[in-house]
Amino acid sequence: MPIRQDDNRPSRRFGLINLLLIGFGVLLLFSNFLPNPATQVPRVPYSLFIDQVNDDNVRRAYITSDQIRYELKEAPAEGAPTVLATTPIFDMELPQRLEQHGVEFAAAPPQKPNIFTTILSWVVPPLIFILVLQFFARRSGMGGAQGALSFTKSKAKVYVPDEESRVTFADVAGVDEAKAELTEIVDFLKTPERYAAIGARIPKGVLLVGPPGTGKTLLSKAVAGEAGVPFFIISGSEFVELFVGAGAARVRDLFEEAKKKAPCIIFIDELDAIGKSRAGSMGVVGGNDEREQTLNQLLTEMDGFAAKDKPVIVLAATNQPETLDAALLRPGRFDRQVLVDRPDLSGRRTILDIYAKKVKLAEGVDLDRIAQATAGFAGADLANLVNEAALLAARAKRTTVEQGDLNEAIERVVAGLEKKSRVLQADEKKVVAYHEVGHAIVGHLMPGGSKVAKISIVPRGMSALGYTLQLPTEERFLNSKEDLEGQIATLLGGRSAEEVVFGEVTTGAANDLQRATDIAEQMVGTYGMSETLGPLAYDKQGGSRFLGGANNPRRVVSDATAQAIDREVRGLVDRAHDRALSILRHNRDLLERISQEILDKEVIEGDELRTLLAESVLPAEAELAA
Ligand code: ADP
Ligand code: MG
Ligand code: ZN
């Protein structure tokens, strides 16, 4: 799509004034350096002058406030100058002394101030000040400064999709669920009347969540392209400005512009740059005023716009959804979240197809093999891979891209990715597979109203190497003690599987353990679920302003109670661990089978997963452990 900078270019007039200012400045500077006739007269020390007066060698003197110029009766040496100058010092006796020695002397009349210099000295400094200010404003990225101090104009670029260059859903592959959800948004934008007529509220914000390079930006452009509406794009970091308050003003401008062009899309990339949880940044003294103001403005604007038939939909992207302020995720703001994950095998295959069409492939190139070898690659990595292969082929002076080029390109891209620790070695992949299947089997057998929906060993995010997705079957607000115990067991299922299969554990379970321990602590400290300790809340509530803030500190308790709490937490986790172990030992064969299956396919979900998990059996001893 053509990029059109929102254009309010600085006017010509301004260029002219700047030039004039610079001219004045230069003039002022030079007026001090203009050749001054006085400087050509040799300067001598004041004491010498007095000596010469005392020697009656001075004919006449001309005294000004900063110089005494005098003429000698005879030169001290052959050819030496007879007109000399000296700097006066405060000397009340000078007139008397000169008179005594018969020197003819006169003082300069008081200097009439030069109108021109006076004006200059009054006018130029403020002008220079303005000039400097303007320079900074310009540098802070103000494309369209309309006045000297308007550095708040929004910097958003506007894309207006035109026929040949527009991006559509056909250009994005491997993220089918995300596309399905966004199709609805396209519909809102295309026929807002239909929704308005029935009284439905069109969602205002959609948050695209996913690791870098998975096509979030591309998808949002595709939404605009499909709907044929203008598309404002701005990065969250562009709101965060040098001047406090500028970010907020910029948000206001952006929404104002967008409302004029509605229906349209505002896309805020890197939302986390402004939307970081305010609770997390508390305690930093005055550090985050600017971001907070910007965030507040964004929240206000999202609450504000309401024209039913002219929707402005805000799409935003982030790869750190967990850092976002809870206020952003409330209903009426970014209440829809769309996961844009790394593609699975078939997704990678379709993405490769898209990019392979753009280069000349040799006969018989097997893209399936490439798709298999690129687990963990995001869309951007695959695009890069095909391009690298084409470069390699061109370097070898071949006219088509061959299988070998693609293989070599994989190695290159992997080398780049490994630094970011995203690509798994074969043995690591095996551990991850068993680990995830462990979660899935235990999770399937545990109560708690959630069912395992998907197991994936496609690395995801910076830390998770695989994941097991559990979807609640119904919305739940209350969890029983049994549910929570089941959750802890499920979290420990991964580590337990590693123990059962490999007899040792890896670092992969760190996050699981963290969460399991958190739940156990809350059970004892917050929900009063421990029988020995009774229904007391040992954790203090509150303390943080926003949801999901810092951990709660413990109430003041005796040492004995503190020890009892620790013992109780430990006991809960230990029991859950035993339970997970016994379940996995009992279902050892199934664990093996599903793990092998997932090593081939990377992702198992839907009916296939359900049939596999249906075979699992809850052993009697696991029930006892509960
Ligand atoms: P993100 O915004 O998620 O970091 P981008 O949308 O900027 O990722 O993706 C960068 C580039 O990678 C895109 O311009 C596109 O060429 C390619 N790409 C990424 N994901 C996909 C995808 N799912 N399908 C096709 N191309 C993709
Ligand atoms: Mg992006
Ligand atoms: Zn795990």
Side-chain angles (χ1 to χ4, degrees):
M1 289 184 210
I3 300 179
R4 197 150 57 69
Q5 270 278 353
D6 209 5
D7 51 7
N8 289 307
R9 301 265 106 218
S11 61
R12 272 268 167 72
R13 196 164 45 89
F14 250 93
L16 216 102
I17 289 184
N18 282 350
L19 235 129
L20 248 124
L21 282 181
I22 293 170
F24 266 130
V26 167
L27 216 81
L28 193 75
L29 274 177
F30 268 88
S31 68
N32 277 336
F33 291 109
L34 282 179
N36 184 345
T39 56
Q40 280 149 8
V41 178
R43 286 200 166 249
V44 297
Y46 189 73
S47 57
L48 180 66
F49 165 64
I50 295 297
D51 283 348
Q52 286 165 332
V53 171
N54 290 344
D55 291 349
D56 290 330
N57 192 15
V58 176
R59 187 188 315 266
R60 52 183 166 222
Y62 182 75
I63 302 162
T64 68
S65 61
D66 57 354
Q67 194 187 66
I68 299 174
R69 231 195 293 182
Y70 61 99
E71 191 189 343
L72 295 176
K73 286 181 183 148
E74 55 192 69
E78 191 72 24
T82 53
V83 178
L84 295 171
T86 185
T87 310
I89 57 175
F90 186 73
D91 182 356
M92 291 297 279
E93 271 136 45
L94 187 63
Q96 230 175 336
R97 190 191 305 270
L98 293 178
E99 209 180 297
Q100 268 171 21
H101 295 278
V103 180
E104 183 186 322
F105 67 97
Q111 232 178 20
K112 259 210 217 116
N114 183 333
I115 297 272
F116 182 67
T117 25
T118 316
I119 289 178
L120 271 189
S121 65
W122 276 98
V123 171
V124 170
L127 284 184
I128 287 178
F129 179 70
I130 288 174
L131 207 77
V132 168
L133 247 173
Q134 215 183 17
F135 170 74
F136 274 110
R138 186 85 41 85
R139 240 178 44 139
S140 68
M142 280 319 309
Q146 281 175 321
L149 296 174
S150 105
F151 37 73
T152 56
K153 203 104 178 70
S154 99
K155 269 194 299 187
K157 294 189 190 80
V158 190
Y159 290 81
V160 180
D162 60 9
E163 266 325 302
E164 75 274 16
S165 63
R166 75 179 189 165
V167 178
T168 64
F169 281 151
D171 297 310
V172 195
V175 281
D176 295 333
E177 304 94 59
K179 269 202 266 186
E181 295 207 36
L182 291 172
T183 309
E184 205 186 351
I185 305 295
V186 171
D187 209 37
F188 291 146
L189 288 163
K190 266 187 173 160
T191 53
E193 322 81 51
R194 234 188 36 225
Y195 293 86
I198 207 167
R201 192 178 58 80
I202 291 177
K204 289 172 178 170
V206 180
L207 185 62
L208 302 175
V209 180
T214 46
K216 298 183 293 296
T217 311
L218 194 65
L219 261 174
S220 53
K221 279 184 196 164
V223 171
E226 290 281 339
V229 299
F231 178 72
F232 290 79
I233 180 168
I234 189 162
S235 168
S237 56
E238 284 168 312
F239 284 121
V240 183
E241 277 296 330
L242 186 61
F243 300 103
V244 172
R250 200 162 276 177
V251 172
R252 211 174 311 124
D253 279 341
L254 174 60
F255 277 82
E256 218 127 82
E257 286 294 306
K259 269 180 244 170
K260 280 183 218 150
K261 291 216 163 71
C264 67
I265 291 178
I266 295 178
F267 178 62
I268 305 176
D269 218 341
E270 302 166 48
L271 181 66
D272 38 283
I274 40 170
K276 280 229 176 72
S277 163
R278 286 172 282 195
S281 61
M282 264 167 48
V284 183
V285 181
N288 290 300
D289 269 4
E290 167 64 357
R291 222 190 44 217
E292 200 160 307
Q293 279 188 24
T294 309
L295 176 58
N296 283 335
Q297 187 64 38
L298 182 66
L299 294 175
T300 315
E301 292 290 348
M302 289 195 73
D303 286 340
F305 59 88
K308 281 231 172 62
D309 51 337
K310 286 194 171 294
V312 176
I313 292 185
V314 185
L315 292 181
T318 179
N319 46 27
Q320 303 171 291
E322 64 283 353
T323 65
L324 290 183
D325 198 293
L328 271 173
L329 306 177
R330 284 203 199 122
R333 284 141 184 190
F334 292 105
D335 46 1
R336 296 226 173 170
Q337 294 177 27
V338 175
L339 179 67
V340 188
D341 212 344
R342 294 213 176 86
D344 60 6
L345 183 62
S346 67
R348 291 199 298 273
R349 179 59 225 259
T350 40
I351 295 176
L352 281 172
D353 269 336
I354 292 182
Y355 291 99
K357 280 203 197 92
K358 298 183 179 171
V359 299
K360 283 201 188 110
L361 281 194
E363 289 278 319
V365 167
D366 186 359
L367 287 180
D368 285 322
R369 288 235 314 270
I370 304 299
Q372 271 156 16
T374 47
F377 277 42
D381 303 326
L382 292 171
N384 185 13
L385 165 79
V386 174
N387 191 49
E388 279 287 331
L391 289 176
L392 285 169
R395 198 171 308 150
K397 303 212 165 55
R398 269 183 271 110
T399 51
T400 53
V401 177
E402 292 171 5
Q403 189 84 27
D405 298 323
L406 287 164
N407 287 338
E408 199 178 333
I410 292 180
E411 272 164 39
R412 293 190 170 206
V413 178
V414 167
L417 292 181
E418 256 167 11
K419 288 190 203 116
K420 298 180 218 152
S421 73
R422 276 206 243 142
V423 177
L424 294 180
Q425 303 298 324
D427 54 335
E428 290 174 322
K429 215 165 155 179
K430 214 169 131 195
V431 175
V432 173
Y434 282 102
H435 178 109
E436 295 306 331
V437 175
H439 282 310
I441 292 180
V442 178
H444 178 73
L445 291 174
M446 287 293 110
S450 54
K451 65 174 207 283
V452 180
K454 182 177 181 181
I455 314 177
S456 155
I457 53 168
V458 180
R460 175 177 177 245
M462 284 300 163
S463 55
L465 301 174
Y467 65 97
T468 304
L469 186 68
Q470 274 188 306
L471 290 180
T473 38
E474 70 225 47
E475 237 188 309
R476 291 184 76 91
F477 298 101
L478 291 175
N479 283 302
S480 67
K481 184 179 173 196
E482 208 185 347
D483 292 346
L484 294 177
E485 281 170 345
Q487 284 180 18
I488 301 178
T490 306
L491 283 167
L492 292 172
R495 178 191 160 102
S496 304
E498 291 180 38
E499 283 173 73
V500 169
V501 177
F502 302 101
E504 56 180 13
V505 292
T506 62
T507 52
N511 183 262
D512 298 336
L513 298 186
Q514 195 82 43
R515 281 164 58 200
T517 315
D518 281 349
I519 295 178
E521 267 181 352
Q522 281 174 3
M523 284 174 72
V524 177
T526 309
Y527 306 131
M529 285 177 177
S530 153
E531 261 145 45
T532 30
L533 289 163
L536 267 73
Y538 294 99
D539 290 339
K540 269 202 182 123
Q541 279 298 324
S544 67
R545 269 192 297 162
F546 295 91
L547 291 173
N551 350 336
N552 299 324
R554 240 176 224 184
R555 237 174 246 287
V556 182
V557 290
S558 71
D559 280 355
T561 311
Q563 277 174 10
I565 294 175
D566 291 343
R567 247 197 323 274
E568 202 65 2
V569 171
R570 175 79 203 265
L572 277 170
V573 176
D574 277 348
R575 273 200 301 282
H577 186 200
D578 289 344
R579 214 169 165 196
L581 280 175
S582 76
I583 289 175
L584 291 172
R585 290 211 186 93
H586 198 80
N587 293 284
R588 183 64 218 262
D589 286 346
L590 186 64
L591 173 62
E592 198 67 43
R593 213 142 31 92
I594 306 183
S595 301
Q596 288 307 331
E597 181 103 25
I598 202 161
L599 278 170
D600 283 345
K601 287 197 187 144
E602 293 179 4
V603 177
I604 306 185
E605 57 189 327
D607 286 336
E608 192 186 0
L609 183 62
R610 228 165 294 142
T611 3
L612 280 170
L613 287 176
E615 291 177 39
S616 58
V617 199
L618 188 65
E621 69 226 64
E623 293 204 60
L624 286 183

